[in-house]
Amino acid sequence: MEDRERYISNAIRWAKEQLGSKEYLTLCLAFVEDAYENSNNVEIFGGSTAKESADEYGASDNRGVPEKGAFVFYDCFGTINDEYENWGHVGLCIGNGQVIHAWDIVRVEHYKDIEELKPAPGWTSPKYIGWAAVDRVFKGYRVL
C-alpha cells in the first residue's frame, strides 16, 4: 500500500481531534473506520461489529504490542437492542502501545490498560484479542 504512512498519520490526526467526544458511545468500530475513511477519502470493508472484524482480519494472530496505525481488538460482551453477545471493542494504535478509542468518551490508553476499564452495567470488561495491521484492514478498500 503505497500511501500507508500518509493514511496512518491522517487517521491518527483525525482521531485525536475527537478526544473527549461522546458521539461514538457504543460505536467504537465506526470511530476507527471513520478515522481512516473521513481523513483519507476512502472506504474500507470489515465486519459489522468489532468482534466480526477481529475475526475477519485475523487479529488473534498478532498478540504482542500493536504497531502504529493498527486496529486493536478486544472481546467485550454486552446487550445492544436486547441482544447479548460478544460485540467486541476496537481502537486505533497511535504508537508506543497507546490506543485511541471510543469508550464512554473518545480517549487514549495503553492497550493493556483497556482491559482494566470499568464496563457499562451489563457489560464485561474488554479482553485483548490482538491487532490487525492497516495493510490488512485496507484489503479491498476503495478511494472515493
Side-chain angles (χ1 to χ4, degrees):
M1 191 168 81
E2 66 186 55
D3 293 323
R4 182 180 203 277
E5 293 307 314
R6 181 174 55 86
Y7 285 154
I8 291 170
S9 39
N10 287 347
I12 291 171
R13 184 192 74 253
W14 183 93
K16 286 181 175 179
E17 290 170 356
Q18 312 313 307
L19 280 168
S21 171
K22 294 180 181 181
E23 184 178 336
Y24 287 93
L25 183 65
T26 72
L27 299 171
C28 59
L29 180 60
F31 172 71
V32 294
E33 288 179 344
D34 283 358
Y36 274 105
E37 291 177 338
N38 292 346
S39 68
N40 290 296
N41 202 32
V42 297
E43 185 175 13
I44 56 177
F45 305 95
S48 60
T49 69
K51 176 59 174 155
E52 284 181 16
S53 292
D55 293 344
E56 183 178 322
Y57 297 147
S60 62
D61 294 340
N62 299 312
R63 296 273 309 152
V65 178
E67 66 181 40
K68 186 176 180 180
F71 279 29
V72 185
F73 291 99
Y74 301 82
D75 283 319
C76 193
F77 290 81
T79 303
I80 297 178
N81 298 327
D82 296 323
E83 283 189 56
Y84 182 83
E85 67 177 79
N86 183 358
W87 301 98
H89 183 62
V90 62
L92 172 64
C93 184
I94 60 174
N96 300 316
Q98 298 296 308
V99 173
I100 189 166
H101 64 113
W103 191 248
D104 51 346
I105 60 172
V106 174
R107 54 201 282 172
V108 175
E109 263 104 17
H110 189 271
Y111 80 100
K112 289 182 179 179
D113 294 340
I114 290 174
E115 292 185 307
E116 305 303 319
L117 290 173
K118 181 179 178 185
W123 283 76
T124 63
S125 296
K127 298 296 175 217
Y128 185 56
I129 295 172
W131 55 273
V134 67
D135 307 86
R136 176 59 190 97
V137 171
F138 267 59
K139 186 175 181 181
Y141 83 105
R142 68 183 181 117
V143 176
L144 300 176

